[in-house]
Coordinates of all heavy atoms in Angstrom, one line a residue:
M1 N 145.5 98.9 5.9 CA 146.4 99.1 7.0 C 146.7 97.8 7.6 O 147.7 97.7 8.3 CB 145.6 100.0 8.0 CG 145.7 101.5 7.7 SD 147.3 102.0 7.4 CE 147.5 103.2 8.7
D2 N 145.8 96.7 7.6 CA 146.1 95.5 8.2 C 147.3 94.8 7.6 O 148.1 94.2 8.4 CB 144.9 94.6 8.0 CG 143.7 95.0 8.9 OD1 144.0 95.6 10.0 OD2 142.6 94.7 8.6
G3 N 147.5 94.9 6.3 CA 148.8 94.3 5.7 C 150.0 95.0 6.2 O 151.0 94.3 6.5
A4 N 150.0 96.3 6.4 CA 151.2 97.0 6.8 C 151.5 96.7 8.3 O 152.6 96.5 8.6 CB 151.0 98.5 6.7
S5 N 150.4 96.6 9.1 CA 150.7 96.2 10.5 C 151.1 94.8 10.7 O 152.0 94.5 11.6 CB 149.4 96.5 11.3 OG 148.4 95.6 11.0
A6 N 150.7 93.9 9.8 CA 151.1 92.5 9.9 C 152.6 92.5 9.5 O 153.4 91.7 10.1 CB 150.3 91.7 9.0
F7 N 153.0 93.2 8.5 CA 154.4 93.2 8.1 C 155.3 93.8 9.2 O 156.4 93.3 9.4 CB 154.5 94.0 6.8 CG 155.9 94.0 6.3 CD1 156.5 92.9 5.7 CD2 156.7 95.2 6.4 CE1 157.8 92.9 5.3 CE2 158.0 95.2 5.9 CZ 158.6 94.1 5.4
A8 N 154.8 94.8 9.8 CA 155.5 95.5 10.9 C 155.7 94.6 12.1 O 156.7 94.6 12.7 CB 154.8 96.7 11.3
Q9 N 154.9 93.6 12.3 CA 155.0 92.6 13.3 C 156.0 91.5 13.0 O 156.7 91.0 13.8 CB 153.7 92.0 13.7 CG 152.7 92.9 14.4 CD 151.4 92.3 14.7 OE1 151.0 91.2 14.2 NE2 150.6 93.0 15.5
I10 N 156.1 91.2 11.7 CA 156.9 90.1 11.2 C 158.3 90.6 11.0 O 159.3 89.8 11.1 CB 156.4 89.5 10.0 CG1 155.1 88.8 10.3 CG2 157.3 88.5 9.4 CD1 154.3 88.2 9.1
L11 N 158.5 91.9 10.6 CA 159.8 92.4 10.3 C 160.9 92.2 11.4 O 162.0 91.7 11.1 CB 159.7 93.9 10.0 CG 161.0 94.6 9.6 CD1 161.5 94.0 8.3 CD2 160.7 96.0 9.4
P12 N 160.6 92.4 12.7 CA 161.6 92.1 13.7 C 162.1 90.7 13.7 O 163.3 90.4 13.9 CB 160.9 92.5 15.1 CG 159.9 93.5 14.7 CD 159.5 93.0 13.3
L13 N 161.2 89.7 13.5 CA 161.6 88.3 13.4 C 162.5 88.0 12.2 O 163.5 87.3 12.3 CB 160.3 87.4 13.3 CG 159.4 87.4 14.6 CD1 158.2 86.6 14.3 CD2 160.2 86.8 15.8
I14 N 162.2 88.7 11.1 CA 163.0 88.4 10.0 C 164.4 89.0 10.2 O 165.4 88.4 9.8 CB 162.4 89.1 8.7 CG1 161.1 88.4 8.4 CG2 163.3 89.1 7.5 CD1 160.2 89.0 7.3
L15 N 164.5 90.2 10.8 CA 165.8 90.9 11.1 C 166.6 90.0 12.1 O 167.8 89.9 12.0 CB 165.6 92.3 11.6 CG 165.1 93.3 10.6 CD1 164.8 94.6 11.3 CD2 166.1 93.5 9.5
I16 N 165.9 89.5 13.1 CA 166.6 88.6 14.0 C 167.2 87.4 13.4 O 168.4 87.0 13.6 CB 165.7 88.3 15.2 CG1 165.4 89.5 16.1 CG2 166.3 87.1 16.1 CD1 164.3 89.2 17.1
F17 N 166.4 86.7 12.5 CA 166.9 85.6 11.9 C 168.1 85.9 10.9 O 169.1 85.2 10.8 CB 165.8 85.0 11.0 CG 166.3 83.7 10.2 CD1 166.6 82.5 10.9 CD2 166.6 83.8 8.9 CE1 167.1 81.4 10.1 CE2 167.1 82.8 8.1 CZ 167.3 81.5 8.8
A18 N 168.1 87.1 10.2 CA 169.1 87.5 9.3 C 170.4 87.8 10.2 O 171.5 87.4 9.7 CB 168.7 88.8 8.6
I19 N 170.3 88.4 11.3 CA 171.5 88.6 12.1 C 172.0 87.3 12.6 O 173.2 87.2 12.6 CB 171.1 89.6 13.3 CG1 170.8 91.0 12.7 CG2 172.2 89.6 14.3 CD1 170.1 91.9 13.7
M20 N 171.2 86.4 13.1 CA 171.7 85.2 13.6 C 172.4 84.4 12.5 O 173.4 83.8 12.7 CB 170.5 84.3 14.1 CG 169.8 84.8 15.3 SD 170.8 84.5 16.8 CE 170.5 82.8 17.0
Y21 N 171.9 84.5 11.3 CA 172.5 83.7 10.1 C 173.9 84.3 9.9 O 174.8 83.5 9.7 CB 171.6 83.9 8.9 CG 172.3 83.2 7.7 CD1 172.2 81.8 7.6 CD2 172.9 84.0 6.7 CE1 172.8 81.2 6.4 CE2 173.5 83.4 5.6 CZ 173.5 82.0 5.5 OH 174.1 81.4 4.4
F22 N 174.1 85.6 9.8 CA 175.3 86.2 9.4 C 176.4 86.1 10.6 O 177.5 86.2 10.4 CB 175.1 87.5 8.9 CG 174.7 87.6 7.5 CD1 173.3 88.0 7.2 CD2 175.4 87.2 6.4 CE1 172.8 88.0 5.9 CE2 175.0 87.2 5.1 CZ 173.7 87.6 4.9
L23 N 175.9 86.1 11.8 CA 176.9 86.2 12.9 C 177.1 84.8 13.5 O 178.2 84.6 14.1 CB 176.3 87.1 14.1 CG 176.2 88.5 13.7 CD1 175.6 89.3 14.9 CD2 177.5 89.1 13.4
L24 N 176.2 83.8 13.4 CA 176.5 82.5 13.9 C 176.5 81.4 12.9 O 177.5 80.6 12.9 CB 175.4 82.2 15.0 CG 175.3 83.2 16.2 CD1 174.1 82.9 17.1 CD2 176.5 83.1 17.0
I25 N 175.5 81.3 12.2 CA 175.4 80.0 11.3 C 176.4 80.0 10.2 O 177.1 79.0 10.0 CB 173.9 79.9 10.8 CG1 172.9 79.8 11.8 CG2 173.8 78.8 9.7 CD1 171.5 80.0 11.5
R26 N 176.5 81.1 9.5 CA 177.5 81.1 8.3 C 178.9 80.9 8.7 O 179.6 80.2 8.1 CB 177.2 82.5 7.6 CG 177.9 82.5 6.3 CD 177.3 83.7 5.4 NE 178.2 84.0 4.3 CZ 178.8 85.1 4.0 NH1 178.5 86.1 4.8 NH2 179.6 85.3 3.0
P27 N 179.4 81.6 9.8 CA 180.9 81.4 10.2 C 181.0 80.0 10.7 O 182.1 79.4 10.4 CB 181.1 82.4 11.3 CG 180.1 83.4 11.2 CD 178.9 82.8 10.5
Q28 N 180.1 79.4 11.3 CA 180.3 78.0 11.8 C 180.3 77.0 10.6 O 181.2 76.1 10.6 CB 179.0 77.6 12.7 CG 179.1 76.2 13.2 CD 180.4 76.0 14.2 OE1 180.8 76.9 14.7 NE2 180.8 74.8 14.3
Q29 N 179.5 77.2 9.6 CA 179.6 76.4 8.4 C 180.9 76.5 7.7 O 181.5 75.6 7.2 CB 178.5 76.8 7.4 CG 177.1 76.3 7.8 CD 176.0 76.8 6.9 OE1 176.2 77.8 6.2 NE2 174.9 76.2 7.0
K30 N 181.5 77.7 7.7 CA 182.8 78.0 7.1 C 183.9 77.2 7.8 O 184.8 76.6 7.3 CB 183.1 79.5 7.0 CG 184.4 79.8 6.3 CD 184.6 81.3 6.3 CE 185.9 81.7 5.6 NZ 186.2 83.1 5.7
R31 N 183.8 77.3 9.2 CA 184.8 76.6 10.1 C 184.7 75.1 9.8 O 185.7 74.4 9.8 CB 184.6 76.9 11.5 CG 185.5 78.0 12.0 CD 185.3 78.2 13.4 NE 184.5 79.5 13.6 CZ 183.4 79.7 14.3 NH1 182.9 78.7 15.0 NH2 182.8 80.8 14.3
M32 N 183.5 74.5 9.7 CA 183.3 73.1 9.5 C 183.9 72.7 8.1 O 184.6 71.6 8.0 CB 181.8 72.7 9.5 CG 181.3 72.7 10.9 SD 179.5 72.4 11.0 CE 179.3 70.9 10.1
K33 N 183.7 73.5 7.0 CA 184.3 73.2 5.8 C 185.8 73.2 5.9 O 186.5 72.4 5.3 CB 183.9 74.3 4.7 CG 182.5 74.0 4.1 CD 182.2 75.0 3.1 CE 180.8 74.8 2.6 NZ 180.5 75.9 1.5
E34 N 186.4 74.2 6.5 CA 187.8 74.3 6.7 C 188.4 73.1 7.4 O 189.4 72.5 7.1 CB 188.3 75.6 7.4 CG 188.1 76.8 6.5 CD 188.3 78.1 7.3 OE1 188.5 78.0 8.6 OE2 188.2 79.2 6.6
H35 N 187.7 72.7 8.5 CA 188.1 71.5 9.3 C 188.1 70.2 8.5 O 189.0 69.4 8.5 CB 187.3 71.4 10.6 CG 187.7 70.2 11.4 ND1 187.2 69.0 11.4 CD2 188.8 70.1 12.3 CE1 187.7 68.2 12.3 NE2 188.7 68.9 12.8
Q36 N 187.0 70.0 7.7 CA 186.8 68.9 6.9 C 188.0 68.9 5.8 O 188.5 67.8 5.6 CB 185.5 68.9 6.2 CG 185.1 67.6 5.4 CD 185.1 66.4 6.3 OE1 184.7 66.5 7.5 NE2 185.5 65.2 5.8
K37 N 188.3 70.0 5.2 CA 189.4 70.0 4.2 C 190.7 69.6 4.9 O 191.5 68.9 4.3 CB 189.4 71.4 3.6 CG 190.4 71.6 2.5 CD 190.5 72.9 1.9 CE 191.4 73.0 0.8 NZ 191.5 74.3 0.3
M38 N 191.0 70.1 6.1 CA 192.2 69.8 6.8 C 192.3 68.3 7.1 O 193.3 67.7 6.9 CB 192.3 70.6 8.1 CG 193.5 70.3 8.9 SD 193.3 70.8 10.7 CE 192.0 69.7 11.3
V39 N 191.2 67.7 7.5 CA 191.1 66.3 7.8 C 191.4 65.5 6.6 O 192.1 64.5 6.6 CB 189.8 65.9 8.6 CG1 189.6 64.4 8.5 CG2 189.8 66.5 10.0
E40 N 190.8 65.9 5.5 CA 191.0 65.2 4.2 C 192.5 65.2 3.7 O 192.9 64.3 3.1 CB 190.1 65.7 3.2 CG 188.6 65.3 3.3 CD 187.7 66.0 2.4 OE1 188.2 66.9 1.6 OE2 186.5 65.8 2.5
N41 N 193.2 66.3 4.1 CA 194.5 66.4 3.6 C 195.6 65.9 4.6 O 196.8 66.2 4.3 CB 194.8 67.9 3.3 CG 194.0 68.4 2.0 OD1 193.7 67.6 1.1 ND2 193.6 69.6 2.1
L42 N 195.2 65.2 5.6 CA 196.2 64.7 6.6 C 197.0 63.5 5.8 O 196.4 62.8 5.0 CB 195.5 64.0 7.8 CG 194.9 65.0 8.7 CD1 194.0 64.3 9.8 CD2 195.9 65.9 9.4
R43 N 198.3 63.5 6.1 CA 199.1 62.4 5.6 C 200.2 62.1 6.5 O 200.5 62.8 7.5 CB 199.6 62.8 4.2 CG 200.5 63.9 4.1 CD 201.1 64.1 2.7 NE 201.5 65.4 2.4 CZ 200.8 66.3 1.9 NH1 199.6 66.1 1.5 NH2 201.3 67.5 1.7
R44 N 200.9 61.0 6.2 CA 202.0 60.5 7.1 C 203.0 61.5 7.3 O 203.5 62.2 6.4 CB 202.5 59.2 6.3 CG 203.4 58.4 7.2 CD 203.7 57.1 6.4 NE 204.7 56.4 7.2 CZ 205.9 56.3 6.9 NH1 206.4 56.8 5.8 NH2 206.7 55.5 7.6
G45 N 203.4 61.7 8.6 CA 204.5 62.6 8.9 C 204.0 63.9 9.4 O 204.8 64.7 9.9
D46 N 202.8 64.2 9.3 CA 202.2 65.5 9.8 C 202.2 65.5 11.3 O 201.9 64.5 11.9 CB 200.8 65.7 9.3 CG 200.6 66.0 7.9 OD1 201.7 66.3 7.2 OD2 199.5 66.1 7.4
L47 N 202.6 66.6 11.9 CA 202.6 66.7 13.4 C 201.2 67.4 13.7 O 200.8 68.5 13.2 CB 203.6 67.6 13.8 CG 204.0 67.7 15.4 CD1 204.3 66.4 15.9 CD2 205.0 68.7 15.6
V48 N 200.4 66.7 14.5 CA 199.0 67.0 14.8 C 198.7 67.2 16.3 O 199.4 66.6 17.1 CB 198.0 66.1 14.2 CG1 198.1 66.1 12.7 CG2 198.2 64.7 14.7
V49 N 197.7 67.9 16.6 CA 197.1 68.0 18.0 C 195.7 67.4 18.0 O 194.9 67.8 17.1 CB 197.1 69.5 18.4 CG1 196.5 69.5 19.9 CG2 198.4 70.1 18.4
T50 N 195.4 66.5 18.8 CA 194.0 66.0 18.9 C 193.1 66.8 19.7 O 193.6 67.8 20.5 CB 194.1 64.6 19.5 OG1 194.4 64.6 20.9 CG2 194.9 63.6 18.8
Q51 N 191.8 66.7 19.7 CA 190.9 67.5 20.5 C 191.2 67.2 22.0 O 190.8 68.0 22.9 CB 189.5 67.2 20.2 CG 189.1 67.7 18.8 CD 187.6 67.5 18.5 OE1 187.0 66.7 19.1 NE2 187.3 68.0 17.3
G52 N 191.8 66.1 22.4 CA 192.1 65.8 23.7 C 193.4 66.5 24.2 O 193.8 66.4 25.4
G53 N 194.1 67.2 23.3 CA 195.3 67.8 23.6 C 196.6 67.1 23.4 O 197.7 67.5 23.8
L54 N 196.5 65.9 22.8 CA 197.7 65.1 22.6 C 198.4 65.5 21.3 O 197.7 65.8 20.3 CB 197.4 63.6 22.5 CG 196.7 63.0 23.7 CD1 196.2 61.5 23.5 CD2 197.6 63.0 24.9
I55 N 199.7 65.7 21.4 CA 200.5 66.0 20.2 C 201.3 64.8 19.7 O 201.9 64.1 20.5 CB 201.5 67.2 20.6 CG1 200.7 68.3 21.0 CG2 202.4 67.5 19.4 CD1 201.6 69.5 21.6
G56 N 201.2 64.5 18.5 CA 201.9 63.4 17.9 C 202.1 63.5 16.4 O 201.6 64.4 15.7
K57 N 202.8 62.5 15.9 CA 203.1 62.5 14.5 C 202.3 61.3 13.8 O 202.3 60.2 14.4 CB 204.6 62.3 14.2 CG 205.0 62.3 12.8 CD 206.5 62.2 12.6 CE 207.2 63.4 12.9 NZ 208.6 63.4 12.5
I58 N 201.7 61.6 12.7 CA 200.9 60.6 12.0 C 201.9 59.6 11.4 O 202.8 59.9 10.7 CB 200.0 61.2 10.9 CG1 199.0 62.2 11.6 CG2 199.4 60.1 10.1 CD1 198.2 62.9 10.5
T59 N 201.6 58.3 11.7 CA 202.4 57.2 11.1 C 201.7 56.4 10.1 O 202.4 55.8 9.2 CB 202.9 56.3 12.3 OG1 201.8 55.7 12.9 CG2 203.8 57.0 13.2
K60 N 200.4 56.5 10.1 CA 199.6 55.7 9.1 C 198.2 56.3 9.0 O 197.6 56.7 10.0 CB 199.5 54.3 9.6 CG 198.8 53.4 8.6 CD 198.6 52.0 9.1 CE 199.9 51.3 9.4 NZ 199.7 49.9 9.9
V61 N 197.8 56.5 7.8 CA 196.4 57.0 7.5 C 195.7 55.8 6.9 O 196.0 55.3 5.9 CB 196.4 58.2 6.5 CG1 195.0 58.6 6.2 CG2 197.3 59.4 7.0
K62 N 194.6 55.4 7.6 CA 193.8 54.3 7.1 C 192.6 54.8 6.5 O 192.2 56.0 6.6 CB 193.4 53.4 8.4 CG 194.5 52.9 9.1 CD 194.1 52.1 10.3 CE 195.3 51.5 11.0 NZ 195.0 50.6 12.1
D63 N 192.0 54.0 5.6 CA 190.8 54.4 4.8 C 189.5 54.5 5.6 O 188.7 55.3 5.3 CB 190.6 53.4 3.7 CG 191.7 53.4 2.6 OD1 192.3 54.5 2.5 OD2 191.9 52.4 1.9
D64 N 189.4 53.8 6.7 CA 188.2 53.8 7.5 C 188.1 54.9 8.5 O 187.7 54.6 9.6 CB 187.9 52.4 8.1 CG 189.1 51.9 8.9 OD1 190.2 52.5 8.8 OD2 188.9 50.9 9.6
N65 N 188.4 56.2 8.1 CA 188.2 57.4 9.0 C 189.0 57.2 10.2 O 188.6 57.7 11.3 CB 186.7 57.5 9.3 CG 186.5 59.0 9.8 OD1 187.2 59.9 9.5 ND2 185.4 59.1 10.5
E66 N 190.2 56.7 10.1 CA 191.1 56.4 11.3 C 192.6 56.7 10.9 O 192.9 56.4 9.8 CB 190.9 54.9 11.7 CG 191.5 54.5 13.0 CD 191.2 53.1 13.3 OE1 190.0 52.8 13.5 OE2 192.2 52.3 13.2
I67 N 193.3 57.2 11.8 CA 194.7 57.4 11.6 C 195.5 56.8 12.8 O 194.9 56.6 13.9 CB 195.1 58.9 11.4 CG1 194.7 59.7 12.6 CG2 194.5 59.4 10.2 CD1 195.1 61.1 12.5
E68 N 196.8 56.5 12.6 CA 197.6 56.1 13.7 C 198.6 57.2 14.0 O 199.2 57.8 13.1 CB 198.4 54.8 13.2 CG 199.1 54.2 14.3 CD 199.7 52.9 13.9 OE1 199.0 51.8 13.9 OE2 200.9 52.8 13.5
V69 N 198.6 57.6 15.3 CA 199.4 58.7 15.7 C 200.5 58.2 16.7 O 200.2 57.5 17.7 CB 198.6 59.8 16.4 CG1 199.5 61.0 16.9 CG2 197.6 60.3 15.4
E70 N 201.8 58.6 16.5 CA 202.9 58.2 17.4 C 203.0 59.3 18.4 O 203.4 60.5 18.1 CB 204.1 58.0 16.7 CG 205.2 57.5 17.6 CD 206.5 57.0 16.8 OE1 206.9 57.7 15.8 OE2 207.1 56.0 17.2
L71 N 202.8 59.1 19.7 CA 202.8 60.1 20.7 C 204.3 60.3 21.3 O 204.7 61.3 21.6 CB 201.8 59.8 21.8 CG 200.4 59.7 21.5 CD1 199.6 59.3 22.7 CD2 199.9 61.0 20.8
A72 N 204.9 59.1 21.4 CA 206.3 59.1 21.9 C 206.9 57.9 21.1 O 206.2 57.1 20.4 CB 206.4 58.9 23.4
E73 N 208.2 57.8 21.2 CA 208.9 56.6 20.5 C 208.3 55.3 21.0 O 208.3 55.0 22.2 CB 210.4 56.7 20.7 CG 211.2 55.8 19.8 CD 212.7 56.0 19.9 OE1 213.1 57.1 20.2 OE2 213.4 55.0 19.7
G74 N 207.7 54.6 20.0 CA 207.2 53.3 20.3 C 205.7 53.4 20.9 O 205.2 52.3 21.2
V75 N 205.1 54.4 21.1 CA 203.8 54.7 21.6 C 202.9 55.2 20.5 O 202.9 56.3 20.2 CB 203.7 55.6 22.8 CG1 202.3 55.7 23.4 CG2 204.7 55.1 23.9
R76 N 202.1 54.2 19.9 CA 201.2 54.6 18.8 C 199.8 54.4 19.2 O 199.4 53.4 20.0 CB 201.5 53.8 17.6 CG 202.9 54.1 17.1 CD 203.2 53.3 15.8 NE 204.5 53.8 15.3 CZ 205.0 53.2 14.3 NH1 204.4 52.1 13.7 NH2 206.2 53.6 13.9
V77 N 198.9 55.3 18.9 CA 197.5 55.2 19.2 C 196.7 55.3 17.9 O 197.1 56.0 17.0 CB 197.0 56.2 20.3 CG1 197.6 55.9 21.6 CG2 197.3 57.6 19.8
R78 N 195.5 54.7 17.9 CA 194.6 54.9 16.7 C 193.6 56.0 17.1 O 193.1 56.1 18.2 CB 193.8 53.6 16.4 CG 194.7 52.5 16.0 CD 194.1 51.2 15.7 NE 192.7 51.2 15.9 CZ 192.0 50.1 16.1 NH1 192.5 48.9 16.1 NH2 190.7 50.1 16.4
V79 N 193.4 56.9 16.2 CA 192.6 58.1 16.4 C 191.6 58.3 15.3 O 192.0 58.0 14.1 CB 193.5 59.4 16.5 CG1 192.6 60.6 16.7 CG2 194.5 59.2 17.7
V80 N 190.4 58.6 15.6 CA 189.4 59.0 14.6 C 189.9 60.3 13.9 O 190.2 61.3 14.6 CB 188.0 59.1 15.2 CG1 187.0 59.6 14.1 CG2 187.6 57.8 15.8
Q81 N 189.8 60.4 12.6 CA 190.4 61.5 11.8 C 189.7 62.8 12.3 O 190.4 63.8 12.4 CB 190.2 61.4 10.3 CG 191.3 60.5 9.7 CD 191.1 60.4 8.2 OE1 190.1 60.8 7.6 NE2 192.1 60.0 7.5
N82 N 188.4 62.8 12.5 CA 187.7 64.1 12.8 C 188.0 64.6 14.2 O 187.6 65.8 14.5 CB 186.2 63.9 12.7 CG 185.7 63.8 11.3 OD1 186.4 64.3 10.4 ND2 184.6 63.0 11.1
T83 N 188.7 63.9 15.0 CA 189.2 64.4 16.3 C 190.5 65.1 16.3 O 190.9 65.6 17.3 CB 189.3 63.3 17.4 OG1 190.3 62.4 17.0 CG2 187.9 62.6 17.6
I84 N 191.1 65.3 15.1 CA 192.3 66.2 14.9 C 191.8 67.6 14.9 O 191.0 68.0 14.2 CB 193.0 65.8 13.6 CG1 193.4 64.3 13.6 CG2 194.2 66.7 13.4 CD1 194.4 63.9 14.7
A85 N 192.4 68.3 15.9 CA 192.0 69.7 16.1 C 192.9 70.7 15.3 O 192.4 71.7 14.8 CB 192.0 70.1 17.6
Q86 N 194.1 70.3 15.1 CA 195.1 71.3 14.5 C 196.2 70.5 13.9 O 196.7 69.5 14.5 CB 195.6 72.3 15.5 CG 196.4 73.3 15.1 CD 196.9 74.2 16.2 OE1 196.6 74.0 17.3 NE2 197.7 75.2 15.8
V87 N 196.8 71.0 12.8 CA 198.0 70.4 12.2 C 199.1 71.5 12.5 O 199.0 72.6 12.1 CB 197.8 70.2 10.6 CG1 199.1 69.8 10.1 CG2 196.7 69.3 10.4
L88 N 200.1 71.0 13.2 CA 201.2 71.9 13.6 C 202.2 72.1 12.5 O 202.7 73.2 12.3 CB 201.9 71.4 14.9 CG 201.0 71.4 16.2 CD1 201.8 70.8 17.3 CD2 200.5 72.8 16.5
S89 N 202.6 70.9 11.9 CA 203.4 71.1 10.7 C 203.1 70.0 9.7 O 202.8 68.9 10.0 CB 204.9 70.9 11.2 OG 205.1 69.6 11.6
K90 N 203.1 70.4 8.4 CA 202.8 69.6 7.4 C 204.0 69.0 6.7 O 205.1 69.7 6.7 CB 202.1 70.3 6.2 CG 200.7 71.0 6.6 CD 199.6 70.0 6.6 CE 199.3 69.4 5.3 NZ 198.4 68.2 5.3
T91 N 204.0 67.8 6.2 CA 205.1 67.2 5.4 C 205.0 67.8 4.0 O 203.8 68.0 3.5 CB 205.1 65.7 5.4 OG1 203.8 65.3 5.0 CG2 205.3 65.2 6.9
E92 N 206.1 67.9 3.4 CA 206.0 68.3 2.0 C 205.5 67.2 1.1 O 205.9 66.0 1.3 CB 207.5 68.7 1.5 CG 208.0 69.9 2.2 CD 207.2 71.2 2.0 OE1 206.7 71.4 0.8 OE2 206.9 71.9 2.9
P93 N 204.6 67.5 0.2 CA 204.2 66.5 -0.8 C 205.4 65.9 -1.6 O 206.3 66.6 -1.9 CB 203.1 67.2 -1.7 CG 203.4 68.6 -1.5 CD 204.1 68.8 -0.2
S94 N 205.2 64.6 -1.9 CA 206.3 64.0 -2.6 C 206.2 64.5 -4.1 O 205.2 64.5 -4.7 CB 206.2 62.5 -2.6 OG 205.0 62.1 -3.1
G95 N 207.3 64.9 -4.6 CA 207.4 65.5 -6.0 C 207.6 64.5 -7.0 O 208.8 64.1 -7.3
S96 N 206.5 63.9 -7.4 CA 206.7 62.8 -8.5 C 206.0 63.3 -9.8 O 205.4 64.2 -10.0 CB 206.1 61.5 -8.1 OG 204.8 61.7 -7.4

């Protein structure tokens, strides 16, 4: 009987962890993977929104995790790639 009662005490903890995994942890990991894929596929000409709410067009993608975004004509800022929240419009890949 002691084994069954010990299992009955641990079962609610196992169920709580399983629910937390499927409702919180797994969807968050999926969103992180999708965001990382989006950031990796950024290229010149894409219209993007930063996490700060700025909308601009990518003018240069640098190798060191940095991009240059043109907010208005002649106004360019350097932005860390991971701070891009959304891509509004993609440029077509060059057909070579």
Side-chain angles (χ1 to χ4, degrees):
M1 283 305 244
D2 287 334
S5 66
F7 181 73
Q9 289 178 348
I10 295 175
L11 184 63
L13 293 174
I14 294 171
L15 290 174
I16 288 172
F17 179 75
I19 291 169
M20 292 284 285
Y21 177 77
F22 284 107
L23 293 179
L24 297 175
I25 298 170
R26 194 165 162 234
Q28 181 65 26
Q29 287 176 338
K30 185 178 177 186
R31 266 185 252 125
M32 285 176 54
K33 280 183 184 178
E34 289 171 354
H35 183 263
Q36 188 62 34
K37 185 177 177 183
M38 177 199 66
V39 166
E40 289 172 358
N41 292 327
L42 290 174
R43 64 174 158 263
R44 190 170 177 256
D46 289 351
L47 191 62
V48 296
V49 178
T50 66
Q51 288 180 354
L54 299 173
I55 299 174
K57 185 179 281 191
I58 296 177
T59 56
K60 189 185 295 183
V61 178
K62 300 181 181 183
D63 290 335
D64 52 349
N65 198 24
E66 188 178 293
I67 59 175
E68 189 173 278
V69 177
E70 185 174 39
L71 302 176
E73 193 171 327
V75 180
R76 293 183 178 174
V77 293
R78 292 180 358 202
V79 178
V80 176
Q81 280 186 344
N82 287 333
T83 63
I84 299 298
Q86 181 181 4
V87 176
L88 296 177
S89 66
K90 297 282 295 169
T91 55
E92 292 299 320
S94 59
S96 43

